[in-house]
Amino acid sequence: MPSIGPLAVETGNSLHPRLISHLARFLTGIEIHPGATIGQGVFIDHGMGVVIGETAIVGDYSLIYQGVTLGGTGKETGKRHPTIGSNVVVGAGAKVLGNLQIGNNVRIGAGSVVLRDVPSDCTVVGIPGRIVYRSGVRVDPLEHGRLPDAEAEVIRTLVDRIEQLEQQVQSMQQRQSAAGGPGACIPELRRMEKRRGEQ
């Protein structure tokens, strides 16, 4: 559906587009400002609570789930809403705020708050939104259950490091008891400090 805004300019009457917008919001729960530009084949799934601001541009064949806001921050004049590329998936409850450029084939995870530009072929999750996946490989846009979990990856790395340190401590304790006292481990500790300093 193209923008209704140009109709107001052509006719000199902003009442008709505004009336259509309010009627559509009443019937569907989707609020699209008459000045917004919506591309071809855009699909709003379970659209209750979707808000698309006045200067927002939504690219062709994008998919928007319920509760999404494509809004402004209230600090800017002129173009103050996001520009969404083609084939973008915006998950339920996500907020994309400000005059941002969201590239083509981007996935925005449910509940994310995007405050910065996002290049094409990326996946963004979290508050604030972080890019967690970047690739030219096309992914299935409806696989919301397969979004990467950045926090889980960091925690796994920390757990692996803790296990490695525990093994080193256990090894040192065994050498200490075999050597007959705490002084036997001092050379090993010095070697470990030297290795750490070289990293």
Side-chain angles (χ1 to χ4, degrees):
M1 179 173 125
S3 171
I4 301 171
L7 177 65
V9 174
E10 289 173 14
T11 64
N13 185 354
S14 64
L15 177 64
H16 293 105
R18 192 58 91 166
L19 184 63
I20 293 169
S21 174
H22 283 289
L23 181 62
R25 183 180 66 183
F26 175 76
L27 294 174
T28 66
I30 301 169
E31 183 174 349
I32 302 175
H33 191 282
T37 303
I38 308 297
Q40 173 181 322
V42 171
F43 185 71
I44 301 175
D45 193 15
H46 301 286
M48 184 59 72
V50 169
V51 177
I52 300 177
E54 178 181 14
T55 60
I57 299 171
V58 180
D60 295 341
Y61 304 105
S62 291
L63 175 59
I64 299 173
Y65 285 95
Q66 69 270 14
V68 166
T69 300
L70 304 179
T73 59
K75 300 176 186 174
E76 302 168 5
T77 57
K79 175 82 168 89
R80 60 192 182 281
H81 298 93
T83 298
I84 307 294
S86 297
N87 301 306
V88 172
V89 176
V90 186
K95 311 300 177 201
V96 184
L97 304 175
N99 183 14
L100 306 179
Q101 299 292 322
I102 307 298
N104 298 327
N105 306 309
V106 168
R107 293 193 304 169
I108 298 173
S112 298
V113 178
V114 180
L115 302 172
R116 293 189 194 126
D117 292 348
V118 179
S120 294
D121 303 309
C122 290
T123 299
V124 177
V125 297
I127 302 173
R130 298 172 314 285
I131 296 171
V132 294
Y133 180 74
R134 197 185 293 243
S135 174
V137 177
R138 190 171 188 281
V139 293
D140 186 357
L142 295 175
E143 291 291 330
H144 284 274
R146 294 180 56 199
L147 290 174
D149 187 348
E151 283 84 10
E153 291 173 13
V154 169
I155 291 170
R156 182 73 241 162
T157 302
L158 291 172
V159 168
D160 290 344
R161 180 66 178 145
I162 289 170
E163 289 174 357
Q164 180 186 25
L165 292 172
E166 286 176 344
Q167 288 174 357
Q168 288 177 353
V169 168
Q170 188 177 17
S171 172
M172 288 173 48
Q173 288 173 340
Q174 288 172 351
R175 279 191 233 132
Q176 178 182 0
S177 61
C185 289
I186 291 176
E188 178 65 23
L189 288 172
R190 289 190 180 138
R191 279 197 297 275
M192 286 175 62
E193 285 179 8
K194 185 177 178 184
R195 275 186 277 169
R196 179 184 267 164
E198 291 172 357
Q199 294 175 351

